[in-house]
Amino acid sequence: MDIRTYLVQNLHAAVTAAFPSESASIESIILEKPKNATYGDFATTVALSLAKTMRKPPKEVAITIMQHFAWDETYVVVDKELLSTITGGFINFCMSTRYLDNVLREVVTNPSNFGRNQVTFPKKMLFEFVSANPTGPMVVVNGRAAAIGDVMARLNEWIGHEVHKEFYINDCGNQIELLGLSILSRYAESKGITIPIPEEGYAGEYIIDLAKSIAADFPEIENQPDNEKTLLFKTEALKRNIAQQKSILLEYGVVYDKWFPESELHKSGMVEAAREQLKTGGHIYSADGAVWFKSSAYGDEKDRVIVRTDGTPTYFLADLAYHLHKASRGYDESYTFWGPDHHGYLPRLEAAVKTLDASGTQFRNFIIQQVNLIRNGQPFKMSKRKGDFVTIADLLKEVGVDAARYFFLMRKISSHFDFDLDLATKKSDENPVFYVQYAHARTCSLLRHAANNGFTKEEIDGADFARLVEPEEMALVKLIHEFPAILMHCVIAVEPHKIPTFCETLSAQFHSFYQKHRILIEDRELSKSRLLLTKGVKNLLALSLSLLGVSSPESM
C-alpha cells in the first residue's frame, strides 16, 4: 500500500472513531507537504476543518483524532505520545526508515514495476493525436503533439489502463482535391503549360517534388486528360505522404495501434448515420440548399454547415461520425489532442457530440499550443500551404530524437513554446536533456568503477540503508519516493511536463550529493550504502526517460 493511501484511510477511520457524528462532514482528507521540513513529510488540516464546525480548539481535536490513529512503523515514525505529530491544529507525519528502505530497494531490484499498475479499476482508453492532414510534410507543432500524445498514452498504460493509440487520416474532402489540383499545376508548369494553383491550394517545394516523382513512376500520365491526371496525382500523393508520416513518426518513437482513414467512415455509412441521429434529435435544419447544425444553441457564434449545397458532408460531420465510431468500440475514455487552430472548432464539436449517443464514452479534448522554432533569437514561420515551414524531419536532423521529444515535453500543453535550437544542440549542463542524460551516465560510471573495485551486485543490493543519514542522501530517497505520486498527477491532470521537471530535480540532487560526499571510501559498508542509493537514482532516471521516449546513455 502506498503511504498516502495508508494515511488517508487511517485518518478517515480515526476521525470516524473519534467523532462519529461529525465524520460525514469530511468529504476528503488532503495531505500536504509542510513548508517547514522539521514538521515532517506530510501534514493534514482535517482537525482544523472539524474544529470550525465543532467550535473546539484545533489542537484538542487533533489530539483526539490521533488517539484513535492506527500507527504502523512500516509507513511512519510512531509517535504515540504525540510529541511532534501535533503542531497547532496540523497533524504531521514522518516517513519511517523502514518505509524509505523498502522504496529504495524496490526501485533498485524491480524498477520495471516501480509506480506501475496503481489504478484499482483499469479503463479502456483511446488516444488520438497528431492526425495531420496528409497534404504535406508534418511540421514542428505536429512533433509536439506526437511527443505529448505518445507520453500520455505511455503513462496511462504504465499505471494500469488498457491503452490504444490511433492516427485519424483525413483522406477525404476539399483539401485532398486541392492537393491533386496543386500537383497538376506544378506538373503542367514543367511542361510549359500554365494551370494556376487553386486559391486555397498548396505551393510548397514538396508539391514540385511530388509532381516529378509521380510523373516519373507513371509516364503514361502525359497523354491523359487533366481530370484523370488530377485523380492519379491525389491518389499517389496520399499514399506517399501517409507513408512518409508513418516513417518519420516511427523514427520519432511513435507507434500507433491503428491508422484510421476517414474514407472508412464514409464507406461504412457512419457519416450518414451521424446525420440521421442529429436529424432525429431535432438538432439540424435545411436552409439555402445546405444542412445546418444548430450550434448557436450551444454557445457558438452561429450555426454551422454539415452538408454543403452540392450534397457533400463537411469535415465537421465526418468528425462527429468518427466520435460515434470511437464510442461504438467500447472505450471508457477517448483523449484527442488538437492543434492550436482548433480553439473555435472544439466547442461546437463537443456540443454536437453531446447530442449523440456516445455509449458511456467520456471524450476529453486538449489543445496543444503553438511552437515557435527559434535560432539566434529569430523564429521560423510555418505554413503548409505556402511551403515556408520546418518539418519534423528537419528538426530531427538538427537536434535528434531525444532533444526533440524532451524539449516538447518540458512545458504545459496549454503554453506556447519557444523551441531553442541553439540550446537543444549544446553539450553542456545548460541543455536540460543533456544534463539529465549526463546524470544517468555518471551513475553508470560510478557503478562500473565500483564493480572494477570488487563490489558485487549482491553486496550493493543488500547494503545497510541505515548508513544513509546525510541530508543529501535522505533528500534523494524522499524524492525517489515521490515518483509514483507524480505519475498519477501527470495522468489525472494531463501534465506530462512534470516528468522532465522530476528528472531535472533528481539529477540536480544527485549532482549535489556527488559533489559533497565521496561514494567509494575506506568505509566499505558506507560505500555499499551509497552505491545502493546511486543505483536507485540510475534506475529511476532510466525509467523516467524511457517513459518520455528518450534514451538513457551509459556513457557520454
Side-chain angles (χ1 to χ4, degrees), residues 343-402:
H343 279 285
Y345 181 75
L346 276 184
R348 57 180 173 269
L349 176 65
E350 290 174 342
V353 169
K354 288 177 182 177
T355 68
L356 303 175
D357 178 14
S359 304
T361 300
Q362 180 184 4
F363 292 97
R364 303 189 66 185
N365 296 296
F366 301 89
I367 295 286
I368 295 177
Q369 287 296 353
Q370 183 62 46
V371 176
N372 297 314
L373 200 57
I374 305 295
R375 189 198 297 280
N376 299 323
Q378 299 299 316
F380 293 99
K381 293 182 179 180
M382 291 166 283
S383 169
K384 191 177 294 186
R385 294 194 185 277
K386 293 182 179 178
D388 180 19
F389 56 80
V390 178
T391 68
I392 299 178
D394 294 331
L395 183 66
L396 296 187
K397 289 177 184 177
E398 183 83 18
V399 305
V401 171
D402 286 348

Side-chain angles (χ1 to χ4, degrees), residues 108-269:
V108 165
T109 61
N110 195 18
S112 61
N113 279 319
F114 193 60
R116 195 159 199 174
N117 298 328
Q118 298 183 60
V119 293
T120 305
F121 302 103
K123 296 178 180 178
K124 183 181 178 182
M125 294 181 168
L126 178 66
F127 284 80
E128 183 226 325
F129 53 99
V130 183
S131 297
N133 283 339
T135 54
M138 290 186 293
V139 297
V140 293
V141 72
N142 301 135
R144 189 181 190 192
I148 289 169
D150 186 51
V151 168
M152 284 307 305
R154 290 175 186 232
L155 296 180
N156 275 275
E157 186 172 46
W158 188 261
I159 67 167
H161 295 302
E162 179 186 344
V163 169
H164 300 268
K165 293 183 287 186
E166 191 158 290
F167 189 113
Y168 180 55
I169 308 171
N170 295 120
D171 61 342
C172 298
N174 190 50
Q175 78 273 11
I176 305 302
E177 297 302 320
L178 289 172
L179 176 63
L181 291 170
S182 299
I183 299 172
L184 174 67
S185 173
R186 290 303 196 181
Y187 172 77
E189 184 180 86
S190 71
K191 301 296 182 181
I193 303 170
T194 299
I195 298 179
I197 296 175
E199 185 178 345
E200 293 296 317
Y202 302 92
E205 288 292 323
Y206 72 95
I207 295 294
I208 297 175
D209 294 336
L210 282 169
K212 288 179 180 178
S213 65
I214 294 171
D217 291 343
F218 296 89
E220 67 275 13
I221 196 173
E222 186 172 2
N223 301 315
Q224 294 177 349
D226 285 352
N227 63 329
E228 292 185 16
K229 287 188 178 81
T230 302
L231 177 60
L232 179 62
F233 279 136
K234 74 177 182 181
T235 302
E236 281 300 312
L238 271 177
K239 290 179 183 177
R240 295 170 194 221
N241 287 346
I242 292 169
Q244 185 181 55
Q245 288 179 333
K246 290 181 178 181
S247 176
I248 197 65
L249 286 168
L250 184 61
E251 179 186 348
Y252 196 46
V254 180
V255 179
Y256 290 93
D257 296 294
K258 183 175 178 62
W259 288 69
F260 191 108
E262 179 186 340
S263 55
E264 187 175 310
L265 293 173
H266 293 272
K267 292 175 183 176
S268 66

Side-chain angles (χ1 to χ4, degrees), residues 444-465:
C444 293
S445 176
L446 288 166
L447 290 166
R448 283 195 302 269
H449 186 54
N452 292 335
N453 281 271
F455 287 90
T456 66
K457 175 184 180 298
E458 291 72 24
E459 280 184 297
I460 294 172
D461 292 356
D464 184 5
F465 178 85

Side-chain angles (χ1 to χ4, degrees), residues 25-26 28 44-55 58 61 89:
S25 66
I26 302 299
S28 61
T44 180
T45 58
V46 63
L48 292 171
S49 300
L50 282 172
K52 289 180 182 178
T53 60
M54 298 174 66
R55 297 183 179 180
V61 173

